[in-house]
Amino acid sequence: MVEAFIPKSLSECLELLNTHDLKIVAGGTDMLIQNRTHSSLPIGYKGDVLYISQIEELKNIYEDNQFVYIGAGATLETIMENLSVSKLLRETILEMASPAIRHTATLAGNIANASPAGDSLVSLYLLDAEVELKSLTNTRRMFVKDFIYGVRKINLEKNEMITKIIIPKLKFSHAYFKKVGPRLSDAISKLSFSGAYLVELGRIIDFRVAFGAVNIYVVRSPGLELKIIGKTVSQLKNQVEEILNWYEPLIKPINDQRSNKNYRKEVSLNLLREFIESLN
Ligand SMILES: Cc1cc2nc3c(=O)[nH]c(=O)nc-3n(C[C@H](O)[C@H](O)[C@H](O)COP(=O)(O)OP(=O)(O)OC[C@H]3O[C@@H](n4cnc5c(N)ncnc54)[C@H](O)[C@@H]3O)c2cc1C
């Protein structure tokens, strides 16, 4: 028989993780789909589960000079409404799921689910976001890009959990997220794109782009971004074809039920072109 644990404090939760083999359930919106039985209404969990939604201390969102800290129990809707959170991330969340799902689902759940189509990941990679991982005896921090090492593969020990998502405070002239799907929210992305830049006196000080659902991981290339930083906006615009050629080999989508690889590649490169042309 499957047992369910519902701790009320983080220390109780970490103690349970240390002594039992448990699968974490936050909002349960991915867990529900992954464990549905089709034959009965109750969810068919295959092992014991740890519900973390009752832990108030995991729901805090706060900031210091450098970072915004988002508790792993904060729902997408709460994050979206918090003005200290990066505008890019809030706009990304607005494109995710329906309000009903966003009132339950968490950002930590979207990260730990490690799907190449996870919408928040594109903006989190772009923002150099980190996760705080805690066990009973240890706390460590890791970039989201290093935390996820493959499709549904994450660097998490059995006795650990994500406790916070840490977002650097960055200054951009403009940043946006675009999702291409059958319907905008409440549908899995065919592909997604985030772009951000900072331009001062016509020169590019910061330039970042990230692509989702076009490889087994989010595609971002700090090396290519460095080649762009320092140029003037007009130099960049004159070089747009060359820059699309730099990115083209990194975009390796697959065919699946949602879309085909040629469409995904072409639209991703069009989104990059549109982003470069939007710089001013
Ligand atoms: C109708 C519907 C629409 C959706 N639309 C979108 C969409 O538009 N875009 C999108 O990206 N996703 C979408 N999703 C997927 C899902 O809602 C998101 O991935 C959501 O952010 C998952 O959060 P959760 O809290 O519900 O995770 P859960 O289902 O609770 O958990 C997901 C995974 O994360 C692990 N986990 C959760 N919290 C922690 C933690 N603190 N530490 C370690 N591991 C943890 C769990 O063990 C599990 O493996 C949709 C889902 C549904 C059902």
Side-chain angles (χ1 to χ4, degrees):
M1 199 182 69
V2 170
E3 217 175 331
F5 296 86
I6 312 177
K8 291 271 192 296
S9 70
L10 181 57
S11 55
E12 191 190 341
C13 180
L14 295 174
E15 185 75 50
L16 283 163
L17 274 174
N18 208 45
T19 47
H20 297 67
D21 185 8
L22 298 171
K23 183 76 181 159
I24 295 173
V25 183
T29 59
D30 274 317
M31 289 291 282
L32 177 90
I33 304 293
Q34 287 159 19
N35 295 278
R36 72 189 144 183
T37 56
H38 299 286
S39 57
S40 69
L41 200 53
I43 307 165
Y45 289 129
K46 285 138 200 116
D48 295 345
V49 286
L50 180 67
Y51 287 95
I52 62 166
S53 61
Q54 301 290 307
I55 305 172
E56 287 304 318
E57 60 208 282
L58 283 180
K59 296 182 184 173
N60 292 335
I61 302 175
Y62 62 95
E63 62 184 314
D64 61 20
N65 288 340
Q66 273 184 291
F67 300 101
V68 174
Y69 302 84
I70 300 173
T75 62
L76 293 178
E77 195 72 20
T78 330
I79 301 168
M80 202 177 79
E81 284 167 4
N82 190 310
L83 296 183
S84 64
V85 174
S86 133
K87 189 164 170 275
L88 174 65
L89 184 57
R90 287 188 286 119
E91 287 177 0
T92 303
I93 292 173
L94 181 64
E95 304 275 356
M96 290 171 68
S98 59
I101 296 286
R102 290 200 300 263
H103 274 283
T104 312
T106 62
L107 188 57
N110 200 239
I111 297 170
N113 195 44
S115 156
D119 284 318
S120 76
L121 302 181
V122 190
S123 294
L124 292 173
Y125 276 55
L126 182 137
L127 293 166
D128 292 325
E130 294 171 76
V131 278
E132 180 190 82
L133 308 173
K134 250 189 199 303
S135 68
L136 197 57
T137 53
N138 196 25
T139 302
R140 56 192 183 119
R141 261 166 86 152
M142 198 183 274
F143 286 107
V144 172
K145 73 170 172 54
D146 300 325
F147 178 67
I148 297 173
Y149 66 91
V151 178
R152 306 213 181 276
K153 293 200 170 78
I154 53 175
N155 278 304
L156 189 77
E157 301 296 330
K158 274 212 159 303
N159 64 347
E160 278 182 321
M161 65 183 291
I162 302 173
T163 41
K164 283 175 198 152
I165 299 103
I166 305 166
I167 317 278
K169 290 181 170 176
L170 300 169
K171 186 180 159 199
F172 297 124
S173 311
H174 191 48
Y176 64 68
F177 169 77
K178 288 213 169 163
K179 169 172 175 171
V180 179
R183 285 173 294 158
L184 277 188
S185 55
D186 219 6
I188 300 171
S189 292
K190 290 174 193 274
L191 63 101
S192 54
F193 172 90
S194 278
Y197 67 83
L198 176 64
V199 169
E200 283 175 2
L201 301 173
R203 201 164 285 281
I204 298 160
I205 310 291
D206 198 350
F207 179 96
R208 299 157 184 240
V209 288
F211 303 84
V214 293
N215 207 323
I216 53 169
Y217 43 78
V218 171
V219 170
R220 184 182 166 203
S221 171
L224 292 181
E225 291 169 7
L226 269 181
K227 286 168 73 172
I228 291 169
I229 291 167
K231 290 183 190 294
T232 63
V233 170
S234 52
Q235 279 170 338
L236 181 69
K237 288 187 179 179
N238 287 336
Q239 229 185 328
V240 65
E241 294 305 329
E242 190 184 341
I243 290 162
L244 297 193
N245 285 335
W246 293 350
Y247 276 91
E248 192 270 340
L250 307 182
I251 297 171
K252 294 179 179 156
I254 53 162
N255 292 319
D256 64 15
Q257 73 278 15
R258 290 193 297 279
S259 193
N260 81 52
K261 58 184 184 185
N262 296 334
Y263 171 86
R264 282 186 161 127
K265 184 166 223 160
E266 195 179 326
V267 176
S268 297
L269 292 172
N270 283 344
L271 287 171
L272 176 58
R273 179 195 299 279
E274 185 183 85
F275 177 67
I276 291 173
E277 284 169 357
S278 78
L279 261 76
N280 59 49

